Coordinates of all heavy atoms in Angstrom, one line a residue:
M1 N 38.3 22.1 -94.7 CA 38.4 20.7 -94.3 C 39.4 20.7 -93.1 O 40.4 21.2 -93.1 CB 39.0 19.9 -95.4 CG 39.0 18.4 -95.0 SD 39.3 17.3 -96.4 CE 41.1 17.7 -96.8
K2 N 38.9 19.9 -92.1 CA 39.7 19.8 -90.9 C 40.3 18.3 -90.8 O 39.5 17.4 -90.9 CB 38.9 20.1 -89.6 CG 39.7 20.1 -88.3 CD 38.8 20.4 -87.2 CE 39.5 20.3 -85.9 NZ 38.6 20.4 -84.7
I3 N 41.6 18.2 -90.7 CA 42.2 16.9 -90.6 C 42.7 16.6 -89.2 O 43.5 17.4 -88.7 CB 43.3 16.7 -91.6 CG1 42.8 17.0 -93.0 CG2 44.0 15.4 -91.5 CD1 43.9 17.0 -94.1
H4 N 42.2 15.5 -88.6 CA 42.7 15.2 -87.3 C 43.6 14.0 -87.4 O 43.2 12.9 -87.7 CB 41.5 14.8 -86.4 CG 41.9 14.4 -85.0 ND1 42.6 15.2 -84.2 CD2 41.7 13.2 -84.3 CE1 42.8 14.6 -83.0 NE2 42.3 13.4 -83.1
L5 N 44.9 14.3 -87.2 CA 45.9 13.2 -87.3 C 46.1 12.5 -86.0 O 46.1 13.1 -84.9 CB 47.3 13.9 -87.7 CG 47.3 14.6 -89.0 CD1 48.6 15.2 -89.3 CD2 47.0 13.6 -90.2
Q6 N 46.2 11.2 -86.1 CA 46.4 10.3 -84.9 C 47.7 9.5 -85.0 O 48.1 9.1 -86.1 CB 45.2 9.4 -84.7 CG 43.9 10.1 -84.4 CD 42.8 9.1 -84.1 OE1 42.6 8.2 -84.9 NE2 42.2 9.2 -83.0
T7 N 48.3 9.3 -83.9 CA 49.5 8.4 -83.9 C 49.1 7.0 -83.8 O 48.0 6.6 -83.4 CB 50.4 8.8 -82.7 OG1 49.6 8.4 -81.5 CG2 50.7 10.2 -82.6
P8 N 50.0 6.1 -84.2 CA 49.7 4.6 -84.1 C 49.3 4.3 -82.7 O 48.5 3.4 -82.4 CB 51.0 4.0 -84.5 CG 51.7 4.9 -85.4 CD 51.3 6.3 -84.9
E9 N 49.9 4.9 -81.7 CA 49.6 4.6 -80.3 C 48.2 5.0 -79.9 O 47.6 4.4 -79.0 CB 50.6 5.4 -79.3 CG 52.0 4.8 -79.4 CD 52.8 5.1 -80.7 OE1 52.4 6.2 -81.4 OE2 53.6 4.3 -81.1
E10 N 47.7 6.0 -80.6 CA 46.3 6.4 -80.4 C 45.3 5.5 -81.1 O 44.2 5.2 -80.7 CB 46.0 7.9 -80.9 CG 46.7 8.9 -80.0 CD 46.7 10.3 -80.6 OE1 46.9 10.4 -81.8 OE2 46.5 11.2 -79.8
I11 N 45.7 5.0 -82.3 CA 44.9 4.2 -83.2 C 44.7 2.8 -82.7 O 43.7 2.2 -82.7 CB 45.4 4.2 -84.6 CG1 45.3 5.6 -85.2 CG2 44.6 3.2 -85.5 CD1 46.1 5.8 -86.5
R12 N 45.8 2.3 -82.1 CA 45.9 0.8 -81.7 C 44.8 0.5 -80.8 O 44.1 -0.5 -81.0 CB 47.3 0.5 -81.2 CG 47.5 -1.0 -81.1 CD 49.0 -1.4 -80.8 NE 49.8 -1.1 -81.9 CZ 50.8 -0.2 -82.0 NH1 51.0 0.6 -80.9 NH2 51.5 0.0 -83.0
P13 N 44.6 1.2 -79.6 CA 43.5 0.8 -78.7 C 42.1 0.9 -79.4 O 41.2 0.2 -79.0 CB 43.7 1.8 -77.6 CG 44.6 2.8 -78.0 CD 45.4 2.3 -79.1
Q14 N 41.9 1.8 -80.3 CA 40.6 1.9 -81.0 C 40.4 0.7 -81.8 O 39.2 0.2 -81.9 CB 40.6 3.2 -81.9 CG 40.7 4.5 -81.1 CD 40.9 5.7 -82.1 OE1 40.3 5.8 -83.1 NE2 41.8 6.6 -81.7
I15 N 41.4 0.2 -82.4 CA 41.3 -1.0 -83.2 C 40.9 -2.2 -82.3 O 40.0 -3.0 -82.7 CB 42.6 -1.3 -84.0 CG1 42.8 -0.3 -85.1 CG2 42.5 -2.7 -84.7 CD1 44.1 -0.4 -85.8
W16 N 41.5 -2.4 -81.2 CA 41.2 -3.4 -80.3 C 39.8 -3.3 -79.7 O 39.1 -4.4 -79.6 CB 42.2 -3.5 -79.1 CG 43.5 -4.2 -79.5 CD1 44.7 -3.6 -79.7 CD2 43.7 -5.6 -79.7 NE1 45.6 -4.5 -80.1 CE2 45.0 -5.8 -80.1 CE3 42.9 -6.7 -79.6 CZ2 45.6 -7.0 -80.4 CZ3 43.4 -7.9 -79.9 CH2 44.7 -8.1 -80.3
K17 N 39.4 -2.1 -79.5 CA 38.0 -1.9 -79.0 C 37.0 -2.4 -80.1 O 36.0 -3.0 -79.8 CB 37.8 -0.4 -78.7 CG 36.5 -0.1 -78.0 CD 36.5 1.4 -77.6 CE 35.2 1.7 -76.9 NZ 35.1 3.1 -76.6
E18 N 37.3 -2.0 -81.4 CA 36.4 -2.4 -82.5 C 36.4 -3.9 -82.7 O 35.4 -4.5 -82.9 CB 36.9 -1.7 -83.8 CG 35.8 -1.5 -84.8 CD 34.7 -0.6 -84.3 OE1 34.9 0.4 -83.6 OE2 33.5 -1.0 -84.6
L19 N 37.6 -4.5 -82.5 CA 37.7 -6.0 -82.6 C 36.9 -6.7 -81.5 O 36.2 -7.7 -81.8 CB 39.2 -6.5 -82.5 CG 40.1 -6.2 -83.7 CD1 41.5 -6.4 -83.4 CD2 39.7 -7.2 -84.9
G20 N 36.9 -6.1 -80.3 CA 36.1 -6.6 -79.2 C 34.6 -6.5 -79.6 O 33.8 -7.5 -79.3
R21 N 34.2 -5.4 -80.2 CA 32.8 -5.3 -80.6 C 32.5 -6.3 -81.6 O 31.4 -6.9 -81.6 CB 32.6 -3.9 -81.2 CG 32.5 -2.7 -80.3 CD 32.0 -1.5 -80.9 NE 32.0 -0.4 -80.0 CZ 32.6 0.8 -80.3 NH1 33.3 1.0 -81.4 NH2 32.6 1.8 -79.4
A22 N 33.4 -6.6 -82.6 CA 33.1 -7.5 -83.6 C 32.9 -8.9 -83.1 O 32.1 -9.7 -83.7 CB 34.3 -7.5 -84.6
S23 N 33.6 -9.3 -82.0 CA 33.5 -10.6 -81.5 C 32.1 -10.8 -80.8 O 31.7 -12.0 -80.5 CB 34.6 -10.9 -80.5 OG 34.5 -10.1 -79.3
L24 N 31.4 -9.7 -80.5 CA 30.2 -9.8 -79.8 C 29.0 -9.6 -80.7 O 27.8 -9.9 -80.3 CB 30.1 -8.7 -78.6 CG 31.2 -8.9 -77.6 CD1 31.2 -7.7 -76.7 CD2 31.1 -10.2 -76.8
D25 N 29.2 -9.0 -81.9 CA 28.1 -8.6 -82.8 C 28.3 -9.3 -84.1 O 29.2 -9.1 -84.9 CB 28.2 -7.0 -83.0 CG 27.2 -6.5 -84.0 OD1 26.4 -7.4 -84.5 OD2 27.3 -5.4 -84.4
R26 N 27.4 -10.3 -84.3 CA 27.5 -11.1 -85.5 C 27.3 -10.4 -86.8 O 27.6 -10.9 -87.9 CB 26.6 -12.3 -85.4 CG 25.1 -12.0 -85.2 CD 24.4 -13.3 -84.8 NE 24.4 -14.3 -85.8 CZ 23.5 -14.5 -86.7 NH1 22.4 -13.6 -86.8 NH2 23.6 -15.4 -87.6
H27 N 26.8 -9.1 -86.7 CA 26.6 -8.3 -87.9 C 27.7 -7.3 -88.2 O 27.7 -6.6 -89.1 CB 25.2 -7.6 -87.9 CG 24.1 -8.5 -87.7 ND1 23.7 -9.4 -88.7 CD2 23.2 -8.7 -86.7 CE1 22.7 -10.1 -88.3 NE2 22.3 -9.7 -87.1
H28 N 28.7 -7.3 -87.2 CA 29.8 -6.4 -87.4 C 30.6 -6.7 -88.6 O 30.9 -7.9 -88.9 CB 30.7 -6.5 -86.1 CG 31.6 -5.3 -86.0 ND1 32.7 -5.2 -86.8 CD2 31.6 -4.3 -85.1 CE1 33.4 -4.1 -86.4 NE2 32.7 -3.5 -85.4
E29 N 31.1 -5.7 -89.3 CA 31.9 -6.0 -90.5 C 33.2 -6.7 -90.3 O 33.8 -7.3 -91.2 CB 32.1 -4.6 -91.3 CG 30.9 -4.1 -91.9 CD 31.1 -2.8 -92.7 OE1 32.3 -2.3 -92.6 OE2 30.2 -2.3 -93.3
W30 N 33.7 -6.7 -89.1 CA 35.0 -7.3 -88.8 C 34.8 -8.7 -88.2 O 35.7 -9.3 -87.7 CB 35.8 -6.5 -87.8 CG 36.3 -5.2 -88.3 CD1 35.9 -4.6 -89.5 CD2 37.2 -4.3 -87.7 NE1 36.5 -3.4 -89.7 CE2 37.3 -3.1 -88.6 CE3 37.9 -4.3 -86.5 CZ2 38.1 -2.0 -88.3 CZ3 38.7 -3.2 -86.2 CH2 38.8 -2.1 -87.1
R31 N 33.5 -9.2 -88.2 CA 33.2 -10.5 -87.5 C 33.9 -11.7 -88.3 O 34.1 -12.7 -87.7 CB 31.7 -10.6 -87.5 CG 31.2 -11.9 -87.0 CD 31.3 -12.1 -85.5 NE 30.5 -13.2 -85.1 CZ 30.4 -13.5 -83.8 NH1 31.0 -12.9 -82.9 NH2 29.6 -14.6 -83.5
T32 N 34.0 -11.5 -89.6 CA 34.6 -12.7 -90.4 C 35.8 -12.2 -91.1 O 35.9 -12.0 -92.3 CB 33.5 -13.2 -91.4 OG1 33.0 -12.0 -92.1 CG2 32.4 -13.9 -90.7
P33 N 36.9 -12.2 -90.3 CA 38.2 -11.8 -90.9 C 38.8 -12.9 -91.8 O 38.3 -14.1 -91.7 CB 39.1 -11.5 -89.7 CG 38.5 -12.4 -88.6 CD 37.1 -12.4 -88.9
V34 N 39.8 -12.6 -92.6 CA 40.5 -13.6 -93.4 C 41.8 -13.9 -92.7 O 42.6 -13.0 -92.4 CB 40.8 -13.0 -94.8 CG1 41.7 -14.0 -95.6 CG2 39.5 -12.8 -95.5
L35 N 42.0 -15.2 -92.3 CA 43.2 -15.7 -91.7 C 44.1 -16.2 -92.7 O 43.7 -17.1 -93.5 CB 42.8 -16.8 -90.7 CG 43.9 -17.5 -90.0 CD1 44.6 -16.6 -88.9 CD2 43.5 -18.8 -89.5
A36 N 45.3 -15.7 -92.8 CA 46.3 -16.2 -93.8 C 47.4 -16.9 -93.1 O 47.9 -16.4 -92.0 CB 46.8 -15.0 -94.6
S37 N 47.8 -18.0 -93.7 CA 49.0 -18.7 -93.2 C 49.9 -19.1 -94.4 O 49.5 -18.8 -95.5 CB 48.6 -20.0 -92.4 OG 47.6 -20.7 -93.1
A38 N 51.0 -19.8 -94.1 CA 51.8 -20.2 -95.2 C 51.7 -21.7 -95.4 O 51.8 -22.5 -94.4 CB 53.3 -19.8 -94.9
D39 N 51.6 -22.2 -96.6 CA 51.5 -23.6 -96.9 C 52.9 -24.2 -96.9 O 53.9 -23.6 -96.6 CB 50.7 -23.9 -98.1 CG 51.4 -23.5 -99.4 OD1 52.6 -23.3 -99.4 OD2 50.7 -23.5 -100.5
T40 N 53.0 -25.6 -97.2 CA 54.3 -26.3 -97.1 C 55.3 -25.7 -98.1 O 56.5 -25.9 -97.9 CB 54.1 -27.8 -97.3 OG1 53.3 -28.0 -98.4 CG2 53.5 -28.4 -96.1
D41 N 54.8 -25.1 -99.1 CA 55.7 -24.5 -100.1 C 56.1 -23.0 -99.8 O 56.7 -22.3 -100.5 CB 55.1 -24.5 -101.5 CG 55.0 -25.9 -102.0 OD1 55.9 -26.8 -101.7 OD2 53.9 -26.2 -102.7
G42 N 55.5 -22.6 -98.6 CA 55.7 -21.2 -98.2 C 54.8 -20.2 -98.9 O 55.0 -19.0 -98.8
L43 N 53.8 -20.7 -99.6 CA 52.9 -19.8 -100.3 C 51.7 -19.5 -99.4 O 51.3 -20.3 -98.6 CB 52.4 -20.5 -101.6 CG 53.5 -20.8 -102.7 CD1 52.9 -21.7 -103.8 CD2 54.1 -19.5 -103.2
P44 N 51.1 -18.3 -99.6 CA 50.0 -17.9 -98.8 C 48.8 -18.7 -99.0 O 48.4 -19.1 -100.1 CB 49.8 -16.4 -99.2 CG 50.4 -16.3 -100.5 CD 51.5 -17.3 -100.6
D45 N 48.1 -19.0 -97.9 CA 46.8 -19.8 -97.9 C 45.9 -19.0 -97.0 O 46.2 -18.8 -95.8 CB 47.1 -21.2 -97.3 CG 46.0 -22.2 -97.8 OD1 45.1 -21.7 -98.5 OD2 46.1 -23.3 -97.3
A46 N 44.8 -18.5 -97.5 CA 43.9 -17.6 -96.8 C 42.5 -18.1 -96.8 O 42.0 -18.6 -97.8 CB 44.0 -16.2 -97.3
R47 N 41.8 -17.9 -95.7 CA 40.4 -18.3 -95.6 C 39.7 -17.5 -94.5 O 40.3 -16.9 -93.6 CB 40.3 -19.9 -95.3 CG 40.5 -20.2 -93.8 CD 41.8 -20.1 -93.3 NE 42.8 -21.1 -93.8 CZ 44.1 -21.0 -93.8 NH1 44.6 -19.9 -93.3 NH2 44.9 -21.9 -94.3
T48 N 38.4 -17.5 -94.7 CA 37.5 -16.7 -93.7 C 37.3 -17.5 -92.5 O 37.1 -18.8 -92.5 CB 36.1 -16.5 -94.4 OG1 36.3 -15.8 -95.6 CG2 35.2 -15.6 -93.5
V49 N 37.4 -16.9 -91.3 CA 37.0 -17.5 -90.0 C 36.1 -16.6 -89.3 O 36.0 -15.4 -89.6 CB 38.2 -17.9 -89.2 CG1 39.1 -19.0 -89.8 CG2 39.1 -16.6 -88.9
V50 N 35.4 -17.1 -88.2 CA 34.6 -16.2 -87.4 C 35.4 -15.8 -86.1 O 36.0 -16.6 -85.5 CB 33.3 -17.0 -86.9 CG1 32.5 -16.1 -86.0 CG2 32.5 -17.4 -88.1
L51 N 35.5 -14.5 -85.9 CA 36.1 -14.0 -84.7 C 35.3 -14.2 -83.5 O 34.2 -13.7 -83.4 CB 36.3 -12.5 -84.9 CG 37.1 -11.7 -83.8 CD1 38.5 -12.3 -83.7 CD2 37.1 -10.2 -84.1
R52 N 35.8 -15.1 -82.6 CA 35.0 -15.5 -81.4 C 35.3 -14.8 -80.2 O 34.4 -14.5 -79.4 CB 35.3 -17.0 -81.2 CG 34.8 -17.9 -82.3 CD 33.3 -18.0 -82.5 NE 32.9 -18.8 -83.6 CZ 31.7 -19.0 -83.9 NH1 30.7 -18.5 -83.2 NH2 31.4 -19.8 -84.9
E53 N 36.6 -14.5 -79.9 CA 37.0 -13.9 -78.7 C 38.1 -12.9 -78.9 O 39.0 -13.2 -79.8 CB 37.4 -14.9 -77.6 CG 36.3 -15.7 -77.0 CD 36.9 -16.8 -76.1 OE1 37.9 -16.6 -75.5 OE2 36.3 -17.9 -76.2
V54 N 38.2 -11.8 -78.2 CA 39.2 -10.8 -78.3 C 39.7 -10.5 -76.9 O 39.0 -10.2 -76.0 CB 38.7 -9.6 -79.0 CG1 39.7 -8.5 -78.9 CG2 38.3 -9.9 -80.4
D55 N 41.1 -10.6 -76.7 CA 41.7 -10.2 -75.5 C 42.7 -9.2 -75.8 O 43.8 -9.5 -76.3 CB 42.4 -11.5 -74.8 CG 43.0 -11.1 -73.5 OD1 43.3 -10.0 -73.2 OD2 43.2 -12.1 -72.7
A56 N 42.3 -7.9 -75.6 CA 43.2 -6.8 -76.0 C 44.5 -6.7 -75.1 O 45.5 -6.4 -75.6 CB 42.4 -5.5 -75.8
V57 N 44.4 -7.1 -73.9 CA 45.5 -7.1 -73.0 C 46.6 -8.1 -73.4 O 47.8 -7.8 -73.5 CB 45.1 -7.4 -71.5 CG1 46.3 -7.4 -70.6 CG2 44.1 -6.3 -71.1
A58 N 46.1 -9.3 -73.7 CA 47.1 -10.4 -74.2 C 47.4 -10.2 -75.7 O 48.3 -10.9 -76.2 CB 46.4 -11.7 -73.9
G59 N 46.7 -9.4 -76.4 CA 46.9 -9.2 -77.8 C 46.5 -10.5 -78.6 O 47.2 -10.9 -79.5
Q60 N 45.4 -11.1 -78.2 CA 45.0 -12.4 -78.6 C 43.6 -12.4 -79.3 O 42.6 -11.9 -78.7 CB 45.0 -13.4 -77.4 CG 44.8 -14.8 -77.8 CD 45.1 -15.7 -76.6 OE1 46.2 -15.9 -76.2 NE2 44.0 -16.2 -76.0
L61 N 43.5 -13.0 -80.5 CA 42.3 -13.2 -81.2 C 42.0 -14.7 -81.2 O 42.9 -15.5 -81.5 CB 42.4 -12.6 -82.6 CG 42.8 -11.2 -82.8 CD1 42.9 -10.9 -84.3 CD2 41.9 -10.2 -82.1
T62 N 40.7 -15.1 -81.0 CA 40.4 -16.5 -81.0 C 39.4 -16.8 -82.1 O 38.4 -16.1 -82.3 CB 39.7 -16.9 -79.6 OG1 40.7 -16.6 -78.6 CG2 39.3 -18.3 -79.6
F63 N 39.7 -17.9 -82.8 CA 38.7 -18.5 -83.7 C 38.6 -20.0 -83.4 O 39.5 -20.6 -82.8 CB 39.0 -18.2 -85.2 CG 40.2 -19.0 -85.7 CD1 40.1 -20.2 -86.3 CD2 41.5 -18.5 -85.5 CE1 41.2 -20.9 -86.8 CE2 42.6 -19.2 -86.0 CZ 42.5 -20.4 -86.6
Y64 N 37.5 -20.6 -83.8 CA 37.4 -22.1 -83.6 C 37.6 -22.8 -85.0 O 37.2 -22.2 -86.0 CB 36.0 -22.4 -83.2 CG 35.5 -21.8 -81.9 CD1 34.2 -21.6 -81.6 CD2 36.5 -21.3 -80.9 CE1 33.8 -21.1 -80.4 CE2 36.1 -20.8 -79.7 CZ 34.7 -20.6 -79.5 OH 34.3 -20.1 -78.3
T65 N 38.1 -24.0 -84.9 CA 38.2 -24.8 -86.1 C 38.4 -26.2 -85.8 O 38.5 -26.6 -84.6 CB 39.4 -24.3 -87.0 OG1 39.3 -24.8 -88.3 CG2 40.8 -24.7 -86.4
D66 N 38.3 -27.1 -86.8 CA 38.5 -28.5 -86.7 C 40.1 -28.7 -86.6 O 40.8 -28.2 -87.5 CB 38.0 -29.2 -88.0 CG 38.0 -30.7 -87.9 OD1 39.0 -31.2 -87.3 OD2 37.1 -31.3 -88.5
S67 N 40.5 -29.4 -85.6 CA 41.9 -29.6 -85.4 C 42.6 -30.4 -86.5 O 43.8 -30.3 -86.7 CB 42.1 -30.4 -84.1 OG 41.5 -31.7 -84.1
R68 N 41.8 -31.1 -87.4 CA 42.4 -31.8 -88.5 C 42.5 -30.9 -89.8 O 43.0 -31.4 -90.8 CB 41.5 -33.0 -88.8 CG 41.4 -34.0 -87.7 CD 40.2 -34.9 -87.9 NE 39.0 -34.2 -87.9 CZ 37.7 -34.7 -88.1 NH1 37.6 -36.0 -88.3 NH2 36.7 -34.0 -88.1
S69 N 42.0 -29.7 -89.7 CA 42.1 -28.8 -90.9 C 43.5 -28.4 -91.2 O 44.3 -28.2 -90.3 CB 41.2 -27.6 -90.7 OG 41.8 -26.7 -89.8
P70 N 43.8 -28.2 -92.5 CA 45.2 -27.9 -92.9 C 45.7 -26.6 -92.2 O 46.9 -26.6 -91.9 CB 45.0 -27.7 -94.4 CG 43.8 -28.5 -94.8 CD 42.9 -28.4 -93.6
K71 N 44.9 -25.7 -92.0 CA 45.4 -24.5 -91.4 C 46.0 -24.7 -90.0 O 46.9 -24.0 -89.6 CB 44.2 -23.4 -91.3 CG 43.2 -23.7 -90.2 CD 42.1 -22.6 -90.1 CE 41.0 -22.8 -91.1 NZ 40.3 -24.1 -91.1
V72 N 45.5 -25.7 -89.3 CA 46.1 -26.0 -87.9 C 47.6 -26.4 -88.1 O 48.5 -25.9 -87.4 CB 45.3 -27.0 -87.2 CG1 46.0 -27.4 -85.9 CG2 43.9 -26.5 -86.9
A73 N 47.8 -27.3 -89.0 CA 49.2 -27.8 -89.2 C 50.1 -26.6 -89.7 O 51.3 -26.5 -89.3 CB 49.2 -28.9 -90.2
Q74 N 49.5 -25.8 -90.6 CA 50.3 -24.7 -91.1 C 50.7 -23.7 -90.0 O 51.8 -23.2 -89.9 CB 49.5 -23.9 -92.2 CG 49.3 -24.7 -93.4 CD 48.3 -24.0 -94.4 OE1 47.9 -22.9 -94.2 NE2 48.0 -24.7 -95.5
L75 N 49.7 -23.4 -89.1 CA 50.0 -22.5 -88.0 C 51.0 -23.0 -87.0 O 51.9 -22.3 -86.5 CB 48.7 -22.0 -87.3 CG 47.7 -21.2 -88.2 CD1 46.4 -21.0 -87.5 CD2 48.3 -19.8 -88.5
Q76 N 50.9 -24.4 -86.8 CA 51.8 -25.0 -85.9 C 53.2 -25.0 -86.4 O 54.2 -24.8 -85.7 CB 51.4 -26.4 -85.5 CG 50.2 -26.5 -84.6 CD 49.6 -27.8 -84.4 OE1 49.7 -28.7 -85.3 NE2 49.0 -28.1 -83.2
A77 N 53.3 -25.2 -87.8 CA 54.7 -25.2 -88.4 C 55.3 -23.8 -88.4 O 56.5 -23.6 -88.4 CB 54.5 -25.7 -89.8
Ligands
FMN1 C1 31.5 -16.7 -93.4 C2 32.5 -17.9 -93.2 C3 32.9 -18.2 -91.9 C4 33.8 -19.2 -91.7 N1 34.2 -19.4 -90.4 C5 35.1 -20.5 -90.1 C6 35.6 -20.7 -88.8 O1 35.3 -20.0 -87.8 N2 36.4 -21.7 -88.6 C7 36.8 -22.5 -89.6 O2 37.6 -23.4 -89.4 N3 36.4 -22.3 -90.9 C8 35.5 -21.3 -91.2 N4 35.0 -21.1 -92.4 C9 35.5 -22.0 -93.5 C10 37.0 -21.6 -93.9 O3 36.9 -20.4 -94.6 C11 37.7 -22.7 -94.7 O4 37.1 -22.9 -95.9 C12 37.8 -24.0 -93.9 O5 38.1 -23.7 -92.5 C13 39.0 -24.9 -94.5 O6 40.2 -24.1 -94.4 P1 41.7 -24.8 -94.5 O7 41.5 -25.9 -95.5 O8 42.6 -23.7 -95.1 O9 42.1 -25.2 -93.2 C14 34.2 -20.1 -92.7 C15 33.8 -19.8 -94.0 C16 32.9 -18.7 -94.2 C17 32.5 -18.4 -95.7

């Protein structure tokens, strides 16, 4: 068995590349990540969202939502 070890610095760009693919391919397994935030009691609140855009340079992932949804207030807080 041959084991190829990679450093975090090698793995990180591969992950961003895959995230970029996921934002373009609606059948990609990473297309619908779970976004977790903290509620007003500090407890975790998690839900599925659709990954819409990926900017590897800015380190930014984009999803769309209703501005009135609880998750928006949680993320702003
Ligand atoms: C496959 C799937 C994709 C979803 N994508 C989104 C999304 O892109 N944006 C969104 O606001 N909600 C999406 N939802 C609904 C959320 O999971 C969640 O139920 C809703 O946004 C309310 O979340 P909140 O009350 O925590 O704010 C999706 C649900 C599923 C099952």
Side-chain angles (χ1 to χ4, degrees):
M1 185 171 69
K2 188 181 174 189
I3 301 175
H4 178 60
L5 296 175
Q6 292 184 307
T7 64
E9 289 71 28
E10 290 169 321
I11 295 168
R12 194 170 288 115
Q14 295 173 42
I15 292 173
W16 279 106
K17 191 173 179 182
E18 205 60 42
L19 284 166
R21 286 194 184 121
S23 69
L24 302 171
D25 175 4
R26 56 195 297 270
H27 300 296
H28 195 289
E29 289 182 351
W30 296 8
R31 175 75 166 181
T32 48
V34 174
L35 172 78
S37 50
D39 70 16
T40 47
D41 295 322
L43 297 173
D45 201 1
R47 79 292 286 163
T48 304
V49 293
V50 176
L51 182 60
R52 297 290 179 181
E53 289 171 33
V54 171
D55 184 338
V57 176
Q60 188 171 287
L61 306 177
T62 299
F63 71 93
Y64 301 158
T65 194
D66 186 325
S67 60
R68 298 164 297 180
S69 71
K71 71 177 87 52
V72 173
Q74 290 174 8
L75 292 170
Q76 284 172 333

